[in-house]
Amino acid sequence: MSEFTEQHEKGVRAFTESLEHKQKTCTNCGFEDSVLHSEWKTHVETTPKSGHIKYKLICPDCDSTEIVEIDI
């Protein structure tokens, strides 16, 4: 495995771990959970060239939508 590949994999792991700990609260009903691996219904949109990621989170309690935007 090349050094670039190893560094890329480390970066992906670090990014994923940071999202696993990021909490989001529904502004409509107060439901709170982590962005990843949670009860939120998630839709992800990416723009590969810019590194922009948009997570649309739909609340499992009231069906309102919250947005989390990340630039990597």
Side-chain angles (χ1 to χ4, degrees):
M1 186 181 309
S2 73
E3 184 176 334
F4 173 79
T5 303
E6 287 179 32
Q7 292 301 316
H8 176 73
E9 287 179 2
K10 283 182 184 179
V12 169
R13 278 194 302 275
F15 176 72
T16 302
E17 288 172 9
S18 71
L19 277 181
E20 287 173 340
H21 298 292
K22 183 172 182 60
Q23 296 287 307
K24 184 68 177 172
T25 302
C26 176
T27 55
N28 191 45
C29 73
F31 171 81
E32 183 178 31
D33 206 346
S34 60
V35 174
L36 292 182
H37 310 299
S38 68
E39 293 185 41
W40 289 104
K41 297 172 199 156
T42 306
H43 174 74
V44 180
E45 298 175 4
T46 61
T47 309
K49 288 185 179 180
S50 70
H52 186 80
I53 300 171
K54 180 192 282 187
Y55 285 87
K56 286 186 179 179
L57 306 173
I58 301 170
C59 179
D61 290 346
C62 70
D63 285 332
S64 66
T65 302
E66 299 291 329
I67 303 293
V68 175
E69 296 192 64
I70 301 167
D71 289 308
I72 54 172

